Amino acid sequence: MSLLSLEQVSVAFGHNPLLSKISFSAEAGERVAIIGRNGAGKSTFLKVVSGEQIPDEGVVRLEGGMRIAQLPQELPEANGKTVREVVSEGAGEIHQLMTRYFKLLEDMEQDHSDELGHIQNDLDRLQGWDLEQRVNHMIQRLALPADKLMSELSGGWRRRVILAQALISAPDVLLLDEPTNHLDVPTIEWMEQQLLQFRGLILFITHDRRFLEKLANRIVELDRGNLLSFTGNINEFLVFKEKLLEEEERANALFDKRLAEEEVWIRQGIKARRTRNEGRVRALKALRVERSERIDRQGNAKMSIETKEKSGKLVAEFTQVGHAFEDKVILQPMDFMVNRGDRIGLIGPNGCGKSTFLKILLGDLEPSSGTVRQGTKLNVAYFDQLREQLNPEQTVAENVGEGKETIEINGQNKHVIGYLGDFLFPPERARTPVKALSGGERNRVLLAKLFTKPANLLVMDEPTNDLDVETLELLEELLMNYDGTLLLVSHDRAFLDNVVTSVIAFEGEGVVREYVGGYQDWIRQGGKFPAESTSQTTESKPKAKADTSTTEVNKPAPASKAKSKLSYKLQREFDGMPDAIAKLEAELEAFQQITGAADFYSGDAQKVQDTLAKMAEKEQELETTMERWLELEEMQNG
């Protein structure tokens, strides 16, 4: 039975239809990803479901007594409330009644028996007397520091608290709008596990493709006011969508050809007008109306980065650079070199020292020990995840043009309105104040501003937040072809895997190591985040001062000293793993060659589905085998 249904719902702002007579229903157990371009109406869709947005027409039906909870996109305020208080507030009316009840009990000077009686009846009706037990259970389940103040917590931990606040009401439907924003990878992976255990209906919007792959079992796309629903994962949906777009292009081409032929006929002059069929004329008018109402698919942004002058071969070099704030070691002494053309990702929990590392590298902060040598001819462009470089009161054009109507791009003068069109801002949107834009649009403004200046060293702090998939993929391609040097801070695992050539991993206690490859390569090489990144209790404990042996943490133990802890049977299994993995990789490569053929999807539909299913099974088998290999390797070296 459907928990939620929308029937012929429409919402429009001005002449822009976000939802056009859409219908939708969903049941408990579904985890529905809402996808679409920036501005397609994803957040509006969630607001219609929650009741914040009243549709222009249509009906929203909720099953009787159904409870909806939301995880807002914005971080909660870092105020003086305790974690316990904030979690309790999620119980809504019950929390308010309990707060009033205990306040009246404390007031011994007046008789409040009548009001207390009403409150007791309401709490009986709402089954609210066990609120404290439920709060304690939720705090324990999510490993939250109950008595800490919100002002003492990092952004990631405040996000955990509001998830607990949303879940305390035992909702039937959970609405999530960009839940991974400002979270580090350990917290994102923790959230994935919590949401996979949720038994109700989840509707969520996310730019994080790995999070989407892990969580969604149904995809709903909003495109030009229409809703397309697909049961399955995102990769299967993309194959399905590509075929739909091909069919749409063919249908539009046939329609446009027919319209052009009719337009030629109607203009053939006196002879045509004498003999023309009035029914054919009416049909032509109908074709014109239909074409005028067609909403063409939004194009992709056009981005380019100008590098007027190459930097020197050496960009920066650390020689035994270390840093500490009072007793907290941020960076143990290390040697490190950045060369021209490197694309380096920085990964680690929030607050681990990534920003400090960048400041030292760029010369903005003097390290506690060691020396930093910077290269020559460096032109640095910095992308700030908090978007502090944007003036919210100014328009998009004023922010990017900095008061000028034309800007120089790749040696040519270009009108700022025309330039912003490459970033998918039509003229009226380019004249809109930044404060009125969505998060994804603000990120595009910052990218547009960043790329107006030539740079041979790009420093990007969380550039993927709120971007739609198409813009993300374009940014990936741009960065992969960038001939300068890139330093990238990101918690987007897929983006890191696709862009960087090496990662700098902050592994706790000031230990920083470099690994070849992206995020998954780091995992395969045994990388892991520090245990304290997943426990606020551990974070809050004072750290003992490191003794002289801690400098050896940067160096992996020699293989000769590792004692085998595997049984004979497990050792044989471990020894056979490399061959098994190589065989699976070869089989998977064969599948990829088959599915990559130009005529693959034009063949028999059942055969296509069977082949894709077998390839998915082989991918899963390879992933399972890799995990087992890492598990045995850890046992052997443990």
Side-chain angles (χ1 to χ4, degrees), residues 116-365:
L116 285 170
H118 289 306
I119 292 176
Q120 289 171 346
N121 290 335
D122 288 339
L123 287 171
D124 288 338
R125 173 177 55 83
L126 297 170
Q127 298 179 336
W129 293 105
D130 64 344
L131 176 60
E132 186 175 358
Q133 290 176 295
R134 285 159 51 198
V135 170
N136 288 336
H137 172 73
M138 187 61 64
I139 285 173
Q140 185 177 12
R141 175 185 159 192
L142 303 190
L144 299 174
D147 299 321
K148 277 192 171 289
L149 302 180
M150 293 292 283
S151 58
E152 298 178 287
L153 301 183
S154 67
W157 278 95
R158 300 207 305 275
R159 179 76 75 183
R160 289 188 184 211
V161 173
I162 58 169
L163 177 60
Q165 185 188 70
L167 294 175
I168 196 67
S169 62
D172 302 285
V173 179
L174 192 56
L175 307 180
L176 313 174
D177 192 350
E178 295 290 1
T180 64
N181 272 5
H182 309 295
L183 297 187
D184 55 28
V185 175
T187 308
I188 292 172
E189 292 177 341
W190 170 87
M191 180 179 283
E192 287 172 351
Q193 295 304 315
Q194 297 299 321
L195 295 176
L196 285 170
Q197 297 172 25
F198 183 69
R199 301 300 179 191
L201 167 64
I202 299 177
L203 302 177
F204 70 99
I205 301 167
T206 184
H207 70 276
D208 189 319
R209 288 160 292 180
R210 197 65 54 81
F211 182 83
L212 192 155
E213 290 171 10
K214 184 89 171 179
L215 196 62
N217 55 22
R218 180 178 172 190
I219 308 295
V220 166
E221 183 187 45
L222 291 173
D223 181 16
R224 292 164 286 176
N226 298 314
L227 182 146
L228 175 64
S229 180
F230 180 86
T231 301
N233 62 43
I234 184 63
N235 295 319
E236 294 168 337
F237 170 79
L238 292 174
V239 173
F240 171 72
K241 178 66 175 180
E242 186 175 357
K243 293 166 70 176
L244 278 185
L245 289 176
E246 289 173 358
E247 292 173 6
E248 179 183 331
E249 287 177 7
R250 281 196 294 269
N252 285 343
L254 288 172
F255 179 94
D256 292 342
K257 181 180 179 182
R258 182 184 169 199
L259 177 58
E261 290 171 348
E262 294 300 291
E263 293 287 5
V264 169
W265 171 79
I266 199 70
R267 291 176 173 83
Q268 280 182 346
I270 299 297
K271 181 180 178 181
R273 287 200 292 274
R274 273 198 225 114
T275 59
R276 68 186 176 186
N277 183 311
E278 291 302 323
R280 191 172 177 181
V281 174
R282 287 193 295 272
L284 172 58
K285 290 180 179 178
L287 287 174
R288 288 172 174 170
V289 171
E290 184 177 345
R291 179 62 185 89
S292 68
E293 291 178 349
R294 183 204 298 171
I295 302 175
D296 291 323
R297 184 171 174 80
Q298 188 181 33
N300 287 326
K302 301 172 186 176
M303 304 181 194
S304 63
I305 310 174
E306 182 182 0
T307 52
K308 271 188 177 177
E309 183 180 29
K310 286 187 176 182
S311 68
K313 185 175 180 181
L314 175 71
V315 174
E317 182 180 19
F318 283 14
T319 304
Q320 286 298 292
V321 169
H323 196 71
F325 291 118
E326 298 179 352
D327 293 335
K328 184 177 181 181
V329 178
I330 301 296
L331 180 64
Q332 291 190 17
M334 67 176 296
D335 296 331
F336 173 63
M337 184 179 295
V338 182
N339 291 314
R340 183 179 65 222
D342 285 349
R343 298 196 302 272
I344 301 172
L346 279 69
I347 60 175
N350 288 334
C352 66
K354 297 188 293 294
S355 297
T356 301
F357 183 92
L358 286 176
K359 287 178 181 178
I360 292 173
L361 188 146
L362 296 174
D364 296 332
L365 180 66

Side-chain angles (χ1 to χ4, degrees), residues 481-502:
N481 295 323
Y482 177 53
D483 60 1
T485 306
L486 173 68
L487 298 174
L488 172 68
V489 178
S490 180
H491 301 309
D492 187 323
R493 294 155 289 177
F495 192 76
L496 285 165
D497 285 337
N498 293 339
V499 170
V500 304
T501 54
S502 64

Side-chain angles (χ1 to χ4, degrees), residues 10 86 113 155 191 199 224 338 480 524 550 580 611 636:
S10 295
V86 175
S113 55
M191 180 179 283
R199 301 300 179 191
R224 292 164 286 176
V338 182
M480 284 189 286
R524 278 195 286 270
T550 57
T611 304
Q636 184 187 55

